[in-house]
Amino acid sequence: MDALFDILTVPQLCLAVSIAVFAGLVKGVVGFALPTIIISGLSTFLSPELALAGLILPTVVTNFMQMLRQGARAAWESVKRFRVFLGFGLVTLLIGAQLVRVLPMDVMLLVIAVPVVSYAMLQLLGIEITLARHSGKVAAIAGSVAGLMGGMSGIWGPPTVAYLTALKTDKADHLRVQGVVYGLGAVALLFAHLGSGVLRAQTLPLSFAMVPPAVLGLWIGGRLLDRIDHVVFRRATLVVLLIAGLNLIRRAVFV
């Protein structure tokens, strides 16, 4: 606890806990955005590196909870179905984690955010962009983009969700696949940033402290999810995707 207060004041800790609860709630409803919300919120009063460290452990825990919500067998079927996306994503995530202090993040954020925002807006306006079937090439490209983005910023939700939405994945599969993708990616991110030095003895207390409030928020969000239908879920997903993309643009342009 003393190590935690070396990083945060009491008011900052309360704010960080509130951010983690809200991030977990949103993730419980739409399946993603927890890293985006946590890093956006924490980086308003902490360094970007410390904010990135803070999201890693809650991301690992909540994604495995989401992945296993329908059981291990269903999760394994999702792994097999999206193996190309996962494979390319994991490789590029490890590469991106080592580039976090080399490449300009504002450029990377814009490259990812602009297509994501455009996609979400078109979908919400009723102009559908869909994929008729799984394509190995498209899966490899989408996985590579998501992995590189995740390694550099801890955020790989927007390109992943855009890909799943374009495939018209139903609500249960959408959430489970997100859990599988993010869960495996989060473990890779954990080890990658143990290697990069972002996650270390001085930053681990913050990351541990974010886990319980994030889990509480996930539980609340899951209760809300069970009460909404697929159409509402899809629109909610697109709205959160649009907000996440706009926030990435804000970070790239103004931060």
Side-chain angles (χ1 to χ4, degrees), residues 197-219:
V198 170
L199 199 62
R200 56 189 187 276
Q202 292 79 12
T203 59
L204 270 171
L206 173 62
S207 206
F208 274 114
M210 294 296 96
V211 172
V215 170
L216 173 61
L218 185 74
W219 178 79

Side-chain angles (χ1 to χ4, degrees), residues 11-46:
Q12 286 177 332
L13 178 59
C14 292
L15 180 57
V17 167
S18 300
I19 290 168
V21 171
F22 178 67
L25 189 152
V26 173
K27 181 173 178 59
V29 173
V30 298
F32 71 106
L34 181 142
T36 306
I37 293 170
I38 289 182
I39 200 168
S40 298
L42 293 185
S43 61
T44 60
F45 56 92
L46 296 174

Side-chain angles (χ1 to χ4, degrees), residues 79-97 135-152 156 159-160 163 180-182 184-185 188-189:
V79 169
K80 291 193 293 184
R81 185 181 177 196
F82 289 87
R83 60 188 179 276
V84 175
F85 181 96
L86 287 168
F88 277 84
L90 289 174
V91 170
T92 55
L93 187 145
L94 294 172
I95 295 171
S135 163
K137 291 182 179 179
V138 174
I141 293 170
S144 297
V145 170
L148 192 61
M149 178 73 173
M152 291 190 65
W156 55 86
T160 300
Y163 175 63
V180 171
V181 172
Y182 305 156
L184 296 178
L189 185 71

Side-chain angles (χ1 to χ4, degrees), residues 172-239:
D173 284 341
H174 206 298
L175 288 169
R176 185 171 61 251
V177 171
Q178 284 188 65
V180 171
V181 172
Y182 305 156
L184 296 178
V187 171
L189 185 71
L190 170 65
F191 285 104
H193 283 306
L194 285 171
S196 72
V198 170
L199 199 62
R200 56 189 187 276
Q202 292 79 12
T203 59
L204 270 171
L206 173 62
S207 206
F208 274 114
M210 294 296 96
V211 172
V215 170
L216 173 61
L218 185 74
W219 178 79
I220 296 171
R223 301 275 291 189
L224 294 174
L225 173 67
D226 291 337
R227 301 185 180 188
I228 63 177
D229 63 22
H230 178 71
V231 174
V232 175
F233 166 77
R234 189 171 186 277
R235 291 193 66 83
T237 299
L238 289 168
V239 168

